[in-house]
Amino acid sequence: GAVVSQHPSRVICKSGTSVKIECRSLDFQATTMFWYRQFPKQSLMLMATSNEGSKATYEQGVEKDKFLINHASLTLSTLTVTSAHPEDSSFYICSARDSLRQIQETQYFGPGTRLLVL
Amino acid sequence: TQLLEQSPQFLSIQEGENLTVYCNSSSVFSSLQWYRQEPGEGPVLLVTVVTGGEVKKLKRLTFQFGDARKDSSLHITAAQPGDTGLYLCAGDPGGFKTIFGAGTRLFVKA
């Protein structure tokens, strides 16, 4: 149980285009999902907290208009990187908390999406 | 600032050796999680510890939660090359936002 999927796993795009990444909880409901960015050989950097039915909460330094987050259902959150530039190239990982589990702090991670902007 | 300090940051050992990774904080956590991440993949949950003083075993991995719930350790017995990866501890100090340690990069040589 507690499986999270991400799509696509890899994406290459031209500078100036927008890219949408989907994060789905496959076998549980997730009122809260998280989006992280990870640079090579570093730990996870939280970008934003996505709450179902409400606006996402962004971490300091993360541009809301650049990284659009939508959490329209209990099993799906999307991250759209708008007008992508080469410096947005990174490994993006989502995670979800199981709303019904006793230990709600535990996060379950997706497999990640590698974005390369040319 | 609430931090989870992980040590060591990097560890390179021979197959068969034992090792311990530490995760320390000045904050109290209701629970701590340990994850392992391999290159190009998302972190995979290994264990969640909840009770102070709790010890959990997962095959050759032993996890301990400190009595005061401020620290945790991961001990690997007879490490194998398949144990190679980035080990992350994580916890929520009550603010509904999980914080992560910087990670311990383990390399086990055959």
Side-chain angles (χ1 to χ4, degrees):
Chain A
V3 178
V4 176
S5 69
Q6 254 182 269
H7 178 79
S9 57
R10 295 172 181 266
V11 56
I12 301 174
C13 69
K14 293 182 179 179
S15 186
T17 61
S18 294
V19 175
K20 180 186 282 189
I21 303 171
E22 291 186 350
C23 178
R24 293 181 185 273
S25 57
L26 298 185
D27 52 0
F28 65 98
Q29 293 182 342
T31 53
T32 304
M33 291 184 171
F34 304 88
W35 287 96
Y36 294 87
R37 187 172 177 176
Q38 187 174 33
F39 294 100
K41 297 185 179 181
Q42 293 189 23
S43 187
L44 305 170
M45 183 188 79
L46 180 64
M47 298 175 64
T49 301
S50 170
N51 297 295
E52 186 266 336
S54 64
K55 292 182 178 180
T57 303
Y58 290 81
E59 294 301 298
Q60 191 173 8
V62 178
E63 298 177 55
K64 301 179 183 181
D65 297 331
K66 175 75 172 174
F67 299 99
L68 299 179
I69 291 173
N70 184 278
H71 193 160
S73 78
L74 287 172
T75 59
L76 173 65
S77 177
T78 60
L79 167 68
T80 301
V81 183
T82 63
S83 186
H85 288 97
E87 57 266 30
D88 298 324
S89 299
S90 192
F91 192 51
Y92 292 87
I93 311 175
C94 72
S95 71
R97 281 179 170 167
D98 187 341
S99 310
L100 300 179
R101 282 191 183 239
Q102 188 174 4
I103 304 174
Q104 295 188 2
E105 294 87 3
T106 300
Q107 295 182 31
Y108 301 92
F109 286 87
T113 296
R114 174 115 10 232
L115 171 63
L116 176 61
V117 185
L118 302 176
Chain B
T1 303
Q2 297 160 328
L3 291 173
L4 272 175
E5 296 181 354
Q6 249 183 276
S7 62
Q9 292 185 15
F10 182 80
L11 196 55
S12 179
I13 62 173
Q14 288 292 140
E15 181 177 5
E17 292 183 9
N18 302 330
L19 67 117
T20 302
V21 177
Y22 299 93
C23 182
N24 297 302
S25 177
S26 58
S27 301
V28 176
F29 291 84
S30 56
S31 68
L32 275 179
Q33 292 79 45
W34 285 94
Y35 296 87
R36 188 177 95 191
Q37 184 181 24
E38 298 191 27
E41 299 180 11
V44 175
L45 178 68
L46 296 175
V47 78
T48 296
V49 286
V50 179
T51 307
E54 180 179 10
V55 176
K56 281 191 173 179
K57 291 192 175 184
L58 186 65
K59 296 184 180 178
R60 294 176 292 100
L61 278 60
T62 301
F63 304 85
Q64 187 164 8
F65 201 12
D67 292 339
R69 291 186 286 127
K70 294 182 179 182
D71 55 87
S72 182
S73 64
L74 157 61
H75 182 80
I76 301 179
T77 303
Q80 298 177 0
D83 296 326
T84 293
L86 177 68
Y87 289 83
L88 296 161
C89 67
D92 181 351
F96 202 61
K97 184 163 70 176
T98 299
I99 59 175
F100 284 83
T104 295
R105 193 163 296 279
L106 172 65
F107 182 65
V108 182
K109 294 176 282 188

